[in-house]
Amino acid sequence: MSTSARSLALSEAGAGPAPWQRAAAGANLLAADGSLAVTIFEEMTTMAAACGAINLGQGFPDEDGPGSIAAAARQAIADGANQYAPGKGILALRQAVAGHQQRFYGLAPDPDTEVVITTGATEALAATLLALTGPGDEVLTFEPFYDSYGAMIGLSGATHTTSPLRAPDFQPDLEHLEEAFSDRTRVVLVNNPHNPMGAVFTRQALARIVELAERHNAIIVTDEVYEHLTFGVEHVPVATLPGAAERTITISSAGKTFSFTGWKVGWLHGPADLVAAVRTVKQFLSYSSGSPFQPAVAAALALDDGFYDGIAAGLRQKRDVLADGLRRAGLEVFVPDGTYFINVDTAPLGVTDAVALARRLPGLAGVAAIPVSVFCHGEGAERTRSLLRFAFCKKTEVLEEAAARLAKLPELLA
């Protein structure tokens, strides 16, 4: 008997879904018969490679970050930083994270008790949800949501509830959000700037989230990995708002800011009691990782303001190159205020099923994208049925070629 068949049989016998099934179902990877699908990222990347298409589906840069950071990692290897780092991360990086938060936001987490280094933001999120939620709890996210949220909520045994982000601005619907909260809401998970929609939440919306979390005694968990990738709008960390710091765990990472996604160096900070709970779980996941990368990231966090301003300006120019090609394709373009993702509505081309179009696009136009509906459950998937997400964290010449190819889409679909 296969693993999926065995797990399905156990479910039917009353044992409930296996943990892997809950994780897969949460990420929309489980069919009704218990069979397991690959992620949409793997599917689109495979198709792009087979067709020789430009892959604007998965969100990773096609060029490395500053050479000085890579050199620092090489030096750390040469200096012998090749064994286990401390479970909560090396002190230099914990101090650098605290210094970064003070420098940019006026926050002052204690590097000894309120900061933990993780294997990317993904582990930080996993450890946090596994530490703080379980059966009987609800975890509230905005929808669309990054797929790992659904997977980890499912694995924890908590119930995943959502509140929609609606076109065209994809800001929180504050009336619906109030209805989505309940006294079972243990965690509200805030991804801001938001992947996949590219929205940067307003201060008003964030303040309302804090008010509702206080009312329902919920913990706020923020995923802020795109914090430095905003275009003419302010990123407001939730922990800076009145009443938020004592109930907020803030998560970020080096991958998106410095274009070293494969290093998987992330961090979290928050009140000492919550951080201790998360650290207890985290130490039994990876324990520690990336020893020679940690001092390199510590150095990166100290880069001058010109670096941080430059990465946002460069991405904004790339965003506009791709947006122009998407408009010439006849698509409705939702210009993002942050992240490196841009979304379009395919309905103006008479296409209402973006999943089907995404599967045709690599062979048809030589470009790969991701349908937004895979980041949703139920009603949300129907609401976003005609939306596609493209990544613009690529070289300008690559984006120019992709834009030229996409501009031909109307005639290719005719």
Side-chain angles (χ1 to χ4, degrees), residues 210 218-222 224 237-241 243-251 269-271 274-275:
V210 174
I219 296 166
I220 304 168
V221 177
T222 69
E224 302 184 14
V238 172
T240 63
L241 297 176
E246 60 266 28
R247 64 175 64 252
T248 300
I249 291 180
T250 302
I251 293 170
H269 73 82
L274 294 180
V275 168

Side-chain angles (χ1 to χ4, degrees), residues 5-236:
R6 184 180 298 111
S7 296
L8 188 60
L10 287 171
S11 298
E12 292 172 344
W20 75 266
Q21 284 183 306
R22 298 198 306 268
N28 293 325
L29 298 181
L30 199 65
D33 65 357
S35 60
L36 188 64
V38 299
T39 68
I40 192 67
F41 305 104
E42 182 176 347
E43 181 182 355
M44 292 298 106
T45 296
T46 300
M47 291 182 67
C51 298
I54 297 171
N55 186 1
L56 302 186
Q58 195 165 3
F60 59 86
D62 60 358
E63 51 191 336
D64 290 342
S68 62
I69 303 176
R74 289 193 293 270
Q75 187 62 53
I77 292 171
D79 291 343
N82 302 304
Q83 309 307 324
Y84 293 127
K88 60 183 179 181
I90 66 169
L91 178 59
L93 182 51
R94 286 183 279 121
Q95 290 174 331
V97 168
H100 171 276
Q101 296 303 92
Q102 175 68 54
R103 170 186 172 188
F104 286 100
Y105 310 123
L107 296 168
D110 184 332
D112 289 325
T113 61
E114 297 180 333
V115 179
V116 172
I117 307 307
T118 59
T119 306
T122 303
E123 186 190 42
L125 287 159
T128 298
L129 291 172
L130 291 174
L132 302 178
T133 69
D137 294 328
E138 293 178 354
V139 178
L140 173 58
T141 74
F142 294 95
E143 188 176 50
F145 53 86
Y146 185 55
D147 59 349
S148 74
Y149 301 170
M152 294 314 305
I153 294 167
L155 191 59
S156 77
T159 298
H160 188 179
T161 60
T162 62
S163 186
L165 301 176
R166 306 181 194 277
D169 60 1
F170 302 107
Q171 289 289 323
D173 179 334
L174 298 184
E175 183 176 341
H176 186 282
L177 180 64
E178 183 171 1
E179 296 172 356
F181 267 89
S182 79
D183 289 338
R184 292 176 59 200
T185 302
R186 173 64 171 159
V187 163
V188 54
L189 177 49
V190 182
N191 179 203
N192 179 48
H194 187 272
N195 175 20
M197 304 321 299
V200 178
F201 293 173
T202 65
R203 184 180 293 269
Q204 176 190 12
L206 295 173
R208 186 61 175 147
I209 292 168
V210 174
E211 290 173 8
L212 292 168
E214 287 181 313
R215 179 188 302 175
H216 294 281
N217 196 29
I219 296 166
I220 304 168
V221 177
T222 69
D223 176 354
E224 302 184 14
V225 298
Y226 298 98
E227 61 186 308
H228 291 293
L229 309 185
T230 64
F231 316 121
V233 296
E234 180 188 17
H235 168 64
V236 179

Side-chain angles (χ1 to χ4, degrees), residues 234-295:
E234 180 188 17
H235 168 64
V236 179
V238 172
T240 63
L241 297 176
E246 60 266 28
R247 64 175 64 252
T248 300
I249 291 180
T250 302
I251 293 170
S252 194
S253 75
K256 305 302 189 297
T257 298
F258 303 111
S259 294
F260 288 107
T261 59
W263 288 10
K264 296 296 290 179
V265 178
W267 52 82
L268 62 87
H269 73 82
D273 59 334
L274 294 180
V275 168
V278 176
R279 188 175 65 243
T280 300
V281 171
K282 180 256 185 276
Q283 68 185 341
F284 297 111
L285 296 176
S286 67
Y287 177 66
S288 72
S289 61
S291 294
F293 300 133
Q294 291 193 30

Side-chain angles (χ1 to χ4, degrees), residues 341-364:
F341 302 109
I342 189 167
N343 291 273
V344 301
D345 193 340
T346 64
L349 294 180
V351 177
T352 57
D353 186 350
V355 173
L357 179 59
R359 288 180 170 137
R360 293 181 60 197
L361 206 56
L364 184 68

